[in-house]
Amino acid sequence: MELITLNTKNTTYQIGVEPNGFLLHLYYGARTEGDMSTLLTRYFRGNNGVPYDHKGDGTYSADSLPQEYSCYGSGDYRNHALRMADASGVQGADFRYQSHRFYEGKAEIPGLPSSYGKEGVGSCEIILTDARLQAELTLTYGIFYEEDVITRSVSVKNTGEQALWLDKIMSMSMDFLTGEYQLIHFWGRHFNEMNTEITPVGHELVSIGSRRGVSGHQHNPFVILAQKECGEEYGSCYGISLVYSGNFTIQAEQDQYCQTRIQAGLSDEMFHYPLAAKETFYTPEVLLAYSADGLTRLSQIYHAFIRDHICRGRFQHIRRPILVNNWEATYFDFTGEKLVEIAREAADLGIEMFVLDDGWFGSRGPDDRGLGDWVVNEKKMGGTLDSVVKKIKSLGLQFGIWFEPEMVNEDSDLYRAHPDWALTIPGKPPVLGRTQLVLDFSRKEVRDAIFAQMTAVIDSTQVDYIKVDMNRSICEAYSYGADYQNFGTLCYRYMLGVYEFFERLTKRYPDLLIEGCSSGGARFDAGLMCYTPQIWASDNTDAIERLNIQYGISFGYPVSVIGSHISAVPNHQNGRITEIDTRAAVAMSGNFGYELDLTKLSGEEKDKIRHQIADFTEHWELIHHGLYYRDSSPLEQKEYCAWNYTSPDRTEALLTVITTNTRANSPVSYVRCRGLDRDAMYRCDETGFSYSGNILSSIGIPLPIVPGEYHAFRFHFKKED
Ligand code: DGJ
């Protein structure tokens, strides 16, 4: 059997090419030498799934061998990765290996965002063909050696003269010969995103995904397949992160021989894609990582990778401006004068940017009108936007503004002029979300019209930042302007349109900071992060609920992509009251900002804000670029929630603890700080004591017992000479 082996610094991925042209998945895990086909066994498998060229050999079954990319019709009855049909709709494929090649660098995926890398990045491309369908399948692997990441994507080309049909095409599929696994996945809803759930993978399909047109609050397109005994600091685990922001599926199950298969990619619901002669279809990319040392290490691989090989642009590695956003301060109830008042306070406190949220355009406010008309409401603003922005900028602040480009209200000039630009189904009343409809971004003329309106605003007011919102899911996947098969292609084409739109924006404004937003975390994924180096993590700004949300996010995404703000108390979403120090400690674990009426603060609160800004400015590098450690889990219902950042050279660490449960006469909580040099001594700024790295890593420090809940503690450790 010919072997194709991909090595990163600490991992090995091996594929076997059978003499019959089948591709077998032999191994993915810790770096190793050798021929892993020695792990294969061939016992009698009931004469099922025997390829014709093995006629009579009941030990050769496509249904039990580990497949690299299983196709429906090949004799593998498990969950397949590809289902294709010929022009008359007859499904069934038989792709066989033709060739493969390694090359330096990494190619882009036409129309889709993907990871990038220059130095030390290689690729491998495997080509298979199907004689009946006259199609060519390309499996592409990106090899990020230092980063320990392997990317996968797939394309299929119709090489014949007849149309073909694609009914399912996953970005990756992988089989494990042995092992008991659990799927760690992240579910949620609006205001309550990224709950961590652990589901054992047994003999039924564990399946998560989205059919909402966006990746969604309900399931995040990032999962971990972990061996049963895996924890933060030990055990084997695999990460799968989909670089895509639309409908998706991630599925895992054990087969009849207790082998585990996992797959990720486009959802096959509402997917029925005609592939014209000579056309090529491209799947989104997945980012695969493996850790032999538990979940912390796996997360750290993703943190660095998303920061360095997914995020782009000027703001990729630098500190983003500390901002104040007027949404929770005023909602729709503001005037230009009120905005300038808030900005004046902001400048005085040391805040660096003012962001004008929803409500500044068309007839907007309340929220059932105006979307689609990106023309300044000068009556409300008391003048031109430019005059307000000039006042704000003269205070020394940068200026940011909110858009929701993909949406339209029926009550808007845009909709009245172009009702067919919205996604609705002829003859059926549309389903609404926040009284709005989704614009048909699969159509270039629609994107062009919105782009022209947006750029007119950005250009005329010299905007430094935009927040791009998207507040409802897609329900009616029908385009009025389609020159292609509508059903089964719209959701994919819509996403390509959204990406083209973002591509254009980022090319035209390379220095503009863009924050992705979708009612909070509804489109929080590595796809959007290729354009927006930060994403509003949740519309829930309560510090305590955010602990759980930001804990979930930390498994697959770095702190530097999280948008997180201090808001007023009682909190507007759940009524909880927390101290401003607690709100600051949580908001600082992200892109720090404020979202409250600064003109209503007490003198003491203002002093604290000045101190917070100085504090964040001092520590942001450690927070955003340090190694991140989860020191407690909300799943354990502890008395506290804790996490720490340790500098890569292990000379300093910052430990944050929030108490979440109070009990009378309670035992003392010892909180660990991880990632330190165990042989070194560290001095703590707050306690004034010195501790050995060994003690901090294994026992931790005692937490003061303070009555009441939700107190924040911060400990900064510095290595002693
Ligand atoms: C939803 C966002 O998540 C909020 O931050 C805010 O921008 C509103 N939309 C405005 O409508």
Side-chain angles (χ1 to χ4, degrees), residues 521-548:
R523 213 159 56 177
F524 197 105
D525 53 69
L528 204 67
M529 276 165 210
C530 293
Y531 306 100
T532 71
Q534 60 189 62
I535 295 185
W536 183 230
S538 175
D539 273 353
N540 190 336
T541 54
D542 169 53
I544 304 310
E545 290 207 66
R546 273 274 181 150
L547 289 175
N548 186 49

PDB file of all heavy atoms in Angstrom, residues 521-548:
ATOM      1  N   GLY A 521     -23.545  36.232  19.468  1.00  0.00           N
ATOM      2  CA  GLY A 521     -22.755  35.116  18.928  1.00  0.00           C
ATOM      3  C   GLY A 521     -23.399  34.246  17.878  1.00  0.00           C
ATOM      4  O   GLY A 521     -23.021  33.091  17.722  1.00  0.00           O
ATOM      5  N   ALA A 522     -24.338  34.787  17.066  1.00  0.00           N
ATOM      6  CA  ALA A 522     -24.990  33.903  16.091  1.00  0.00           C
ATOM      7  C   ALA A 522     -24.129  33.607  14.859  1.00  0.00           C
ATOM      8  O   ALA A 522     -24.457  32.731  14.069  1.00  0.00           O
ATOM      9  CB  ALA A 522     -26.323  34.493  15.653  1.00  0.00           C
ATOM     10  N   ARG A 523     -23.090  34.399  14.663  1.00  0.00           N
ATOM     11  CA  ARG A 523     -22.185  34.076  13.551  1.00  0.00           C
ATOM     12  C   ARG A 523     -20.772  34.211  14.066  1.00  0.00           C
ATOM     13  O   ARG A 523     -19.968  34.956  13.544  1.00  0.00           O
ATOM     14  CB  ARG A 523     -22.489  34.998  12.367  1.00  0.00           C
ATOM     15  CG  ARG A 523     -22.263  34.328  11.039  1.00  0.00           C
ATOM     16  CD  ARG A 523     -22.970  34.956   9.880  1.00  0.00           C
ATOM     17  NE  ARG A 523     -22.677  36.350   9.690  1.00  0.00           N
ATOM     18  CZ  ARG A 523     -23.157  37.082   8.677  1.00  0.00           C
ATOM     19  NH1 ARG A 523     -23.958  36.538   7.782  1.00  0.00           N
ATOM     20  NH2 ARG A 523     -22.862  38.341   8.570  1.00  0.00           N
ATOM     21  N   PHE A 524     -20.517  33.453  15.109  1.00  0.00           N
ATOM     22  CA  PHE A 524     -19.208  33.457  15.766  1.00  0.00           C
ATOM     23  C   PHE A 524     -18.463  32.234  15.242  1.00  0.00           C
ATOM     24  O   PHE A 524     -18.662  31.122  15.703  1.00  0.00           O
ATOM     25  CB  PHE A 524     -19.433  33.351  17.282  1.00  0.00           C
ATOM     26  CG  PHE A 524     -18.241  33.748  18.103  1.00  0.00           C
ATOM     27  CD1 PHE A 524     -18.233  34.973  18.756  1.00  0.00           C
ATOM     28  CD2 PHE A 524     -17.140  32.928  18.232  1.00  0.00           C
ATOM     29  CE1 PHE A 524     -17.136  35.363  19.522  1.00  0.00           C
ATOM     30  CE2 PHE A 524     -16.047  33.310  18.979  1.00  0.00           C
ATOM     31  CZ  PHE A 524     -16.047  34.531  19.633  1.00  0.00           C
ATOM     32  N   ASP A 525     -17.658  32.408  14.206  1.00  0.00           N
ATOM     33  CA  ASP A 525     -17.006  31.252  13.587  1.00  0.00           C
ATOM     34  C   ASP A 525     -15.738  31.698  12.869  1.00  0.00           C
ATOM     35  O   ASP A 525     -15.546  32.888  12.606  1.00  0.00           O
ATOM     36  CB  ASP A 525     -17.960  30.565  12.596  1.00  0.00           C
ATOM     37  CG  ASP A 525     -18.526  31.543  11.571  1.00  0.00           C
ATOM     38  OD1 ASP A 525     -17.751  32.015  10.727  1.00  0.00           O
ATOM     39  OD2 ASP A 525     -19.721  31.852  11.621  1.00  0.00           O
ATOM     40  N   ALA A 526     -14.908  30.723  12.565  1.00  0.00           N
ATOM     41  CA  ALA A 526     -13.616  31.037  11.949  1.00  0.00           C
ATOM     42  C   ALA A 526     -13.776  31.597  10.540  1.00  0.00           C
ATOM     43  O   ALA A 526     -12.850  32.214  10.008  1.00  0.00           O
ATOM     44  CB  ALA A 526     -12.738  29.796  11.938  1.00  0.00           C
ATOM     45  N   GLY A 527     -14.943  31.405   9.913  1.00  0.00           N
ATOM     46  CA  GLY A 527     -15.170  31.964   8.575  1.00  0.00           C
ATOM     47  C   GLY A 527     -15.240  33.478   8.639  1.00  0.00           C
ATOM     48  O   GLY A 527     -14.498  34.185   7.947  1.00  0.00           O
ATOM     49  N   LEU A 528     -16.114  33.986   9.504  1.00  0.00           N
ATOM     50  CA  LEU A 528     -16.262  35.439   9.601  1.00  0.00           C
ATOM     51  C   LEU A 528     -14.992  36.086  10.138  1.00  0.00           C
ATOM     52  O   LEU A 528     -14.667  37.224   9.796  1.00  0.00           O
ATOM     53  CB  LEU A 528     -17.466  35.791  10.489  1.00  0.00           C
ATOM     54  CG  LEU A 528     -18.016  37.168  10.157  1.00  0.00           C
ATOM     55  CD1 LEU A 528     -18.639  37.208   8.771  1.00  0.00           C
ATOM     56  CD2 LEU A 528     -19.008  37.624  11.199  1.00  0.00           C
ATOM     57  N   MET A 529     -14.265  35.336  10.994  1.00  0.00           N
ATOM     58  CA  MET A 529     -13.047  35.908  11.582  1.00  0.00           C
ATOM     59  C   MET A 529     -11.971  36.207  10.530  1.00  0.00           C
ATOM     60  O   MET A 529     -11.003  36.910  10.807  1.00  0.00           O
ATOM     61  CB  MET A 529     -12.487  34.960  12.641  1.00  0.00           C
ATOM     62  CG  MET A 529     -13.162  35.158  13.977  1.00  0.00           C
ATOM     63  SD  MET A 529     -12.839  33.811  15.095  1.00  0.00           S
ATOM     64  CE  MET A 529     -14.339  33.849  16.059  1.00  0.00           C
ATOM     65  N   CYS A 530     -12.119  35.631   9.332  1.00  0.00           N
ATOM     66  CA  CYS A 530     -11.171  35.963   8.264  1.00  0.00           C
ATOM     67  C   CYS A 530     -11.323  37.428   7.858  1.00  0.00           C
ATOM     68  O   CYS A 530     -10.438  38.007   7.230  1.00  0.00           O
ATOM     69  CB  CYS A 530     -11.387  35.069   7.056  1.00  0.00           C
ATOM     70  SG  CYS A 530     -10.967  33.344   7.359  1.00  0.00           S
ATOM     71  N   TYR A 531     -12.470  38.029   8.173  1.00  0.00           N
ATOM     72  CA  TYR A 531     -12.701  39.443   7.823  1.00  0.00           C
ATOM     73  C   TYR A 531     -12.797  40.346   9.044  1.00  0.00           C
ATOM     74  O   TYR A 531     -12.532  41.532   8.955  1.00  0.00           O
ATOM     75  CB  TYR A 531     -13.991  39.574   7.004  1.00  0.00           C
ATOM     76  CG  TYR A 531     -13.995  38.678   5.803  1.00  0.00           C
ATOM     77  CD1 TYR A 531     -14.676  37.463   5.811  1.00  0.00           C
ATOM     78  CD2 TYR A 531     -13.250  39.023   4.676  1.00  0.00           C
ATOM     79  CE1 TYR A 531     -14.647  36.622   4.716  1.00  0.00           C
ATOM     80  CE2 TYR A 531     -13.213  38.191   3.576  1.00  0.00           C
ATOM     81  CZ  TYR A 531     -13.908  36.985   3.607  1.00  0.00           C
ATOM     82  OH  TYR A 531     -13.857  36.161   2.533  1.00  0.00           O
ATOM     83  N   THR A 532     -13.256  39.804  10.142  1.00  0.00           N
ATOM     84  CA  THR A 532     -13.466  40.627  11.333  1.00  0.00           C
ATOM     85  C   THR A 532     -12.602  40.062  12.460  1.00  0.00           C
ATOM     86  O   THR A 532     -12.874  38.973  12.950  1.00  0.00           O
ATOM     87  CB  THR A 532     -14.953  40.625  11.761  1.00  0.00           C
ATOM     88  OG1 THR A 532     -15.303  39.360  12.290  1.00  0.00           O
ATOM     89  CG2 THR A 532     -15.870  40.947  10.609  1.00  0.00           C
ATOM     90  N   PRO A 533     -11.576  40.793  12.866  1.00  0.00           N
ATOM     91  CA  PRO A 533     -10.704  40.235  13.905  1.00  0.00           C
ATOM     92  C   PRO A 533     -11.338  40.253  15.289  1.00  0.00           C
ATOM     93  O   PRO A 533     -10.730  39.817  16.251  1.00  0.00           O
ATOM     94  CB  PRO A 533      -9.475  41.153  13.858  1.00  0.00           C
ATOM     95  CG  PRO A 533      -9.982  42.446  13.306  1.00  0.00           C
ATOM     96  CD  PRO A 533     -11.127  42.108  12.408  1.00  0.00           C
ATOM     97  N   GLN A 534     -12.582  40.778  15.383  1.00  0.00           N
ATOM     98  CA  GLN A 534     -13.304  40.660  16.643  1.00  0.00           C
ATOM     99  C   GLN A 534     -14.789  40.488  16.361  1.00  0.00           C
ATOM    100  O   GLN A 534     -15.314  40.943  15.342  1.00  0.00           O
ATOM    101  CB  GLN A 534     -13.035  41.838  17.566  1.00  0.00           C
ATOM    102  CG  GLN A 534     -13.426  43.199  17.040  1.00  0.00           C
ATOM    103  CD  GLN A 534     -12.907  44.319  17.947  1.00  0.00           C
ATOM    104  OE1 GLN A 534     -11.696  44.472  18.128  1.00  0.00           O
ATOM    105  NE2 GLN A 534     -13.815  45.077  18.514  1.00  0.00           N
ATOM    106  N   ILE A 535     -15.453  39.774  17.303  1.00  0.00           N
ATOM    107  CA  ILE A 535     -16.870  39.462  17.128  1.00  0.00           C
ATOM    108  C   ILE A 535     -17.567  39.701  18.460  1.00  0.00           C
ATOM    109  O   ILE A 535     -17.057  39.296  19.515  1.00  0.00           O
ATOM    110  CB  ILE A 535     -17.059  37.986  16.673  1.00  0.00           C
ATOM    111  CG1 ILE A 535     -16.445  37.774  15.285  1.00  0.00           C
ATOM    112  CG2 ILE A 535     -18.522  37.604  16.657  1.00  0.00           C
ATOM    113  CD1 ILE A 535     -16.674  36.410  14.678  1.00  0.00           C
ATOM    114  N   TRP A 536     -18.704  40.368  18.414  1.00  0.00           N
ATOM    115  CA  TRP A 536     -19.494  40.615  19.625  1.00  0.00           C
ATOM    116  C   TRP A 536     -20.002  39.253  20.122  1.00  0.00           C
ATOM    117  O   TRP A 536     -20.772  38.585  19.443  1.00  0.00           O
ATOM    118  CB  TRP A 536     -20.629  41.577  19.280  1.00  0.00           C
ATOM    119  CG  TRP A 536     -21.506  42.016  20.398  1.00  0.00           C
ATOM    120  CD1 TRP A 536     -22.876  42.000  20.402  1.00  0.00           C
ATOM    121  CD2 TRP A 536     -21.107  42.580  21.654  1.00  0.00           C
ATOM    122  NE1 TRP A 536     -23.340  42.514  21.584  1.00  0.00           N
ATOM    123  CE2 TRP A 536     -22.279  42.878  22.382  1.00  0.00           C
ATOM    124  CE3 TRP A 536     -19.873  42.852  22.243  1.00  0.00           C
ATOM    125  CZ2 TRP A 536     -22.262  43.428  23.652  1.00  0.00           C
ATOM    126  CZ3 TRP A 536     -19.845  43.398  23.517  1.00  0.00           C
ATOM    127  CH2 TRP A 536     -21.034  43.678  24.204  1.00  0.00           C
ATOM    128  N   ALA A 537     -19.540  38.844  21.313  1.00  0.00           N
ATOM    129  CA  ALA A 537     -19.736  37.454  21.731  1.00  0.00           C
ATOM    130  C   ALA A 537     -21.162  37.143  22.140  1.00  0.00           C
ATOM    131  O   ALA A 537     -21.615  35.998  22.020  1.00  0.00           O
ATOM    132  CB  ALA A 537     -18.791  37.144  22.881  1.00  0.00           C
ATOM    133  N   SER A 538     -21.872  38.146  22.659  1.00  0.00           N
ATOM    134  CA  SER A 538     -23.236  37.890  23.114  1.00  0.00           C
ATOM    135  C   SER A 538     -23.917  39.221  23.371  1.00  0.00           C
ATOM    136  O   SER A 538     -23.262  40.181  23.797  1.00  0.00           O
ATOM    137  CB  SER A 538     -23.209  37.077  24.405  1.00  0.00           C
ATOM    138  OG  SER A 538     -24.519  36.934  24.914  1.00  0.00           O
ATOM    139  N   ASP A 539     -25.231  39.251  23.181  1.00  0.00           N
ATOM    140  CA  ASP A 539     -25.989  40.442  23.586  1.00  0.00           C
ATOM    141  C   ASP A 539     -26.199  40.450  25.091  1.00  0.00           C
ATOM    142  O   ASP A 539     -26.785  41.381  25.631  1.00  0.00           O
ATOM    143  CB  ASP A 539     -27.344  40.477  22.873  1.00  0.00           C
ATOM    144  CG  ASP A 539     -27.258  41.141  21.522  1.00  0.00           C
ATOM    145  OD1 ASP A 539     -26.190  41.686  21.200  1.00  0.00           O
ATOM    146  OD2 ASP A 539     -28.249  41.109  20.778  1.00  0.00           O
ATOM    147  N   ASN A 540     -25.774  39.418  25.754  1.00  0.00           N
ATOM    148  CA  ASN A 540     -25.853  39.361  27.214  1.00  0.00           C
ATOM    149  C   ASN A 540     -24.573  39.980  27.783  1.00  0.00           C
ATOM    150  O   ASN A 540     -23.476  39.441  27.607  1.00  0.00           O
ATOM    151  CB  ASN A 540     -25.989  37.906  27.656  1.00  0.00           C
ATOM    152  CG  ASN A 540     -26.322  37.802  29.131  1.00  0.00           C
ATOM    153  OD1 ASN A 540     -26.028  38.722  29.893  1.00  0.00           O
ATOM    154  ND2 ASN A 540     -26.918  36.696  29.526  1.00  0.00           N
ATOM    155  N   THR A 541     -24.718  41.119  28.455  1.00  0.00           N
ATOM    156  CA  THR A 541     -23.530  41.781  29.001  1.00  0.00           C
ATOM    157  C   THR A 541     -23.413  41.572  30.512  1.00  0.00           C
ATOM    158  O   THR A 541     -22.578  42.205  31.155  1.00  0.00           O
ATOM    159  CB  THR A 541     -23.571  43.300  28.708  1.00  0.00           C
ATOM    160  OG1 THR A 541     -24.808  43.824  29.199  1.00  0.00           O
ATOM    161  CG2 THR A 541     -23.441  43.585  27.229  1.00  0.00           C
ATOM    162  N   ASP A 542     -24.251  40.690  31.079  1.00  0.00           N
ATOM    163  CA  ASP A 542     -24.122  40.415  32.514  1.00  0.00           C
ATOM    164  C   ASP A 542     -22.807  39.665  32.757  1.00  0.00           C
ATOM    165  O   ASP A 542     -22.554  38.618  32.140  1.00  0.00           O
ATOM    166  CB  ASP A 542     -25.305  39.554  32.982  1.00  0.00           C
ATOM    167  CG  ASP A 542     -25.074  39.020  34.380  1.00  0.00           C
ATOM    168  OD1 ASP A 542     -24.789  39.832  35.280  1.00  0.00           O
ATOM    169  OD2 ASP A 542     -25.129  37.785  34.571  1.00  0.00           O
ATOM    170  N   ALA A 543     -22.016  40.188  33.670  1.00  0.00           N
ATOM    171  CA  ALA A 543     -20.678  39.621  33.878  1.00  0.00           C
ATOM    172  C   ALA A 543     -20.739  38.140  34.260  1.00  0.00           C
ATOM    173  O   ALA A 543     -19.882  37.350  33.839  1.00  0.00           O
ATOM    174  CB  ALA A 543     -19.959  40.414  34.967  1.00  0.00           C
ATOM    175  N   ILE A 544     -21.755  37.762  35.013  1.00  0.00           N
ATOM    176  CA  ILE A 544     -21.777  36.380  35.519  1.00  0.00           C
ATOM    177  C   ILE A 544     -22.203  35.402  34.426  1.00  0.00           C
ATOM    178  O   ILE A 544     -21.609  34.336  34.259  1.00  0.00           O
ATOM    179  CB  ILE A 544     -22.678  36.292  36.776  1.00  0.00           C
ATOM    180  CG1 ILE A 544     -22.177  37.305  37.832  1.00  0.00           C
ATOM    181  CG2 ILE A 544     -22.710  34.877  37.344  1.00  0.00           C
ATOM    182  CD1 ILE A 544     -20.672  37.254  38.138  1.00  0.00           C
ATOM    183  N   GLU A 545     -23.207  35.764  33.651  1.00  0.00           N
ATOM    184  CA  GLU A 545     -23.570  34.879  32.535  1.00  0.00           C
ATOM    185  C   GLU A 545     -22.469  34.859  31.473  1.00  0.00           C
ATOM    186  O   GLU A 545     -22.242  33.845  30.811  1.00  0.00           O
ATOM    187  CB  GLU A 545     -24.897  35.324  31.933  1.00  0.00           C
ATOM    188  CG  GLU A 545     -26.069  35.064  32.883  1.00  0.00           C
ATOM    189  CD  GLU A 545     -27.373  34.876  32.132  1.00  0.00           C
ATOM    190  OE1 GLU A 545     -27.504  33.890  31.395  1.00  0.00           O
ATOM    191  OE2 GLU A 545     -28.251  35.732  32.296  1.00  0.00           O
ATOM    192  N   ARG A 546     -21.773  35.959  31.317  1.00  0.00           N
ATOM    193  CA  ARG A 546     -20.653  36.019  30.372  1.00  0.00           C
ATOM    194  C   ARG A 546     -19.532  35.046  30.749  1.00  0.00           C
ATOM    195  O   ARG A 546     -18.760  34.601  29.903  1.00  0.00           O
ATOM    196  CB  ARG A 546     -20.089  37.439  30.330  1.00  0.00           C
ATOM    197  CG  ARG A 546     -20.803  38.329  29.350  1.00  0.00           C
ATOM    198  CD  ARG A 546     -20.165  38.152  27.986  1.00  0.00           C
ATOM    199  NE  ARG A 546     -20.801  39.009  27.009  1.00  0.00           N
ATOM    200  CZ  ARG A 546     -20.166  39.500  25.956  1.00  0.00           C
ATOM    201  NH1 ARG A 546     -18.894  39.252  25.762  1.00  0.00           N
ATOM    202  NH2 ARG A 546     -20.806  40.221  25.076  1.00  0.00           N
ATOM    203  N   LEU A 547     -19.407  34.735  32.047  1.00  0.00           N
ATOM    204  CA  LEU A 547     -18.346  33.806  32.466  1.00  0.00           C
ATOM    205  C   LEU A 547     -18.498  32.486  31.725  1.00  0.00           C
ATOM    206  O   LEU A 547     -17.536  31.916  31.214  1.00  0.00           O
ATOM    207  CB  LEU A 547     -18.438  33.531  33.980  1.00  0.00           C
ATOM    208  CG  LEU A 547     -18.048  34.664  34.915  1.00  0.00           C
ATOM    209  CD1 LEU A 547     -18.311  34.259  36.351  1.00  0.00           C
ATOM    210  CD2 LEU A 547     -16.585  35.033  34.714  1.00  0.00           C
ATOM    211  N   ASN A 548     -19.748  32.009  31.684  1.00  0.00           N
ATOM    212  CA  ASN A 548     -20.021  30.743  31.029  1.00  0.00           C
ATOM    213  C   ASN A 548     -19.831  30.851  29.518  1.00  0.00           C
ATOM    214  O   ASN A 548     -19.259  29.959  28.877  1.00  0.00           O
ATOM    215  CB  ASN A 548     -21.463  30.341  31.369  1.00  0.00           C
ATOM    216  CG  ASN A 548     -21.801  28.980  30.855  1.00  0.00           C
ATOM    217  OD1 ASN A 548     -21.040  28.040  31.077  1.00  0.00           O
ATOM    218  ND2 ASN A 548     -22.912  28.867  30.161  1.00  0.00           N
TER     219      ASN A 548
END
